[in-house]
Amino acid sequence: MDTATLSLCQWPIFSSSPSSLRMHVRVLCRIPHLSASTVDKTLSQINNSGIVACLRANSAEVAMKAANAAIAGGVSVLEIVVSTPGVFEVLHQLVKEHPTVALGVGTVLRIEDAKNAIKAGAKFLLSPATVKDIMVMEYVKSGEVLYIPGTMTPTEILSACDAGAKMVKIYPVSALGGFQYISALKKTFPHVCMVASQGITIDAIEEYILRGASSVVLSDAIFDKEAMEQHNFDKIHKFAHSATLRGNTAVNR
């Protein structure tokens, strides 16, 4: 089968055993298409990392230092929340300094912010909901930029996949039942790559991925509020290193 013609939300399922099904889907979510586009490479990087570090800061200077600390700690996928002052300038600089890191912008709700993020070099965009204007952007449709829309219900997941999403964000996952909610969703959507987001700790990474999440978003777990306020970037480096190790262990089980 020529996998270049299929999206991850449309992949056929061959196994009927629950345990083998979970393993089979996990492998499919981690392998890029035969003719890999930029989006496929970003998908692969997100899935192989197991974590998306989510940074929000009160200044561009703090954002830059915190991002560098996390990357030095091993983070290979980093999202900067759009409300961070100077977010696009910070992103542009990070893209130049760390060309192998998958860098993106999160909490994107406006088409203008999506365009500015792409101009700054974002490889992916995340939203807490599905923004149709972003979904139909040419950059997204052509496979140059990965858009991960936010979904909560089975209906929203199905709608996002039908609209072309290759990965969806399950948000707010902790409020919905945590990894148990992911497990329940995967019974219906075993072929959908899901990023679990909201309130996830480093200790919970392995459980989320075991239950079917392709990756998890970590915000305060890496960019600890107290550490950010005190500019304790050594602490952020430590948390990033710990999260990276947990993520690598989880996806390679």
Side-chain angles (χ1 to χ4, degrees), residues 1-33:
M1 179 183 292
D2 182 1
T3 55
T5 62
L6 298 173
S7 76
L8 295 180
C9 280
Q10 299 168 330
W11 218 298
I13 302 301
F14 301 105
S15 173
S16 59
S17 167
S19 59
S20 62
L21 175 63
R22 181 172 61 248
M23 185 176 294
H24 180 68
V25 170
R26 181 69 200 166
V27 171
L28 290 179
C29 282
R30 291 174 59 193
I31 297 176
H33 300 171

Side-chain angles (χ1 to χ4, degrees), residues 109-123:
L109 295 173
R110 303 189 311 150
I111 190 70
E112 293 81 7
D113 288 332
K115 290 178 179 178
N116 286 330
I118 293 169
K119 288 179 182 177
K123 292 182 179 178

Side-chain angles (χ1 to χ4, degrees), residues 29 40 43 71 75 87 99 102 105 113 115 117 128 145 176 190 220 240 249:
C29 282
D40 295 320
L43 275 167
I71 292 170
V75 164
V87 59
V105 176
D113 288 332
K115 290 178 179 178
V145 176
L176 298 168
D220 293 348
T249 298

Side-chain angles (χ1 to χ4, degrees), residues 61-91:
E61 181 182 4
V62 171
M64 196 72 191
K65 291 180 178 179
N68 280 318
I71 292 170
V75 164
S76 60
V77 183
L78 175 67
E79 159 200 357
I80 308 175
V81 176
V82 74
S83 60
T84 298
V87 59
F88 305 122
E89 290 78 9
V90 171
L91 177 65

Side-chain angles (χ1 to χ4, degrees), residues 5 39 65 136 142 166 200 235 247:
T5 62
V39 160
K65 291 180 178 179
V136 299
S142 65
K166 293 188 175 185
I200 300 174
K235 193 172 185 180

Side-chain angles (χ1 to χ4, degrees), residues 79-167:
E79 159 200 357
I80 308 175
V81 176
V82 74
S83 60
T84 298
V87 59
F88 305 122
E89 290 78 9
V90 171
L91 177 65
H92 181 66
Q93 185 63 32
L94 289 171
V95 168
K96 290 196 296 184
E97 294 181 6
H98 305 283
T100 63
V101 176
L103 294 158
V105 176
T107 318
V108 182
L109 295 173
R110 303 189 311 150
I111 190 70
E112 293 81 7
D113 288 332
K115 290 178 179 178
N116 286 330
I118 293 169
K119 288 179 182 177
K123 292 182 179 178
F124 64 93
L125 307 170
L126 292 101
S127 300
T130 300
V131 183
K132 294 181 180 179
D133 286 346
I134 298 176
M135 186 75 78
V136 299
M137 288 180 69
E138 186 57 36
Y139 287 103
V140 174
K141 293 173 65 178
S142 65
E144 294 179 58
V145 176
L146 175 65
Y147 177 49
I148 307 174
T151 60
M152 184 175 71
T153 67
T155 298
E156 291 173 353
I157 293 170
L158 182 61
S159 295
C161 286
D162 285 346
K166 293 188 175 185
M167 173 177 277

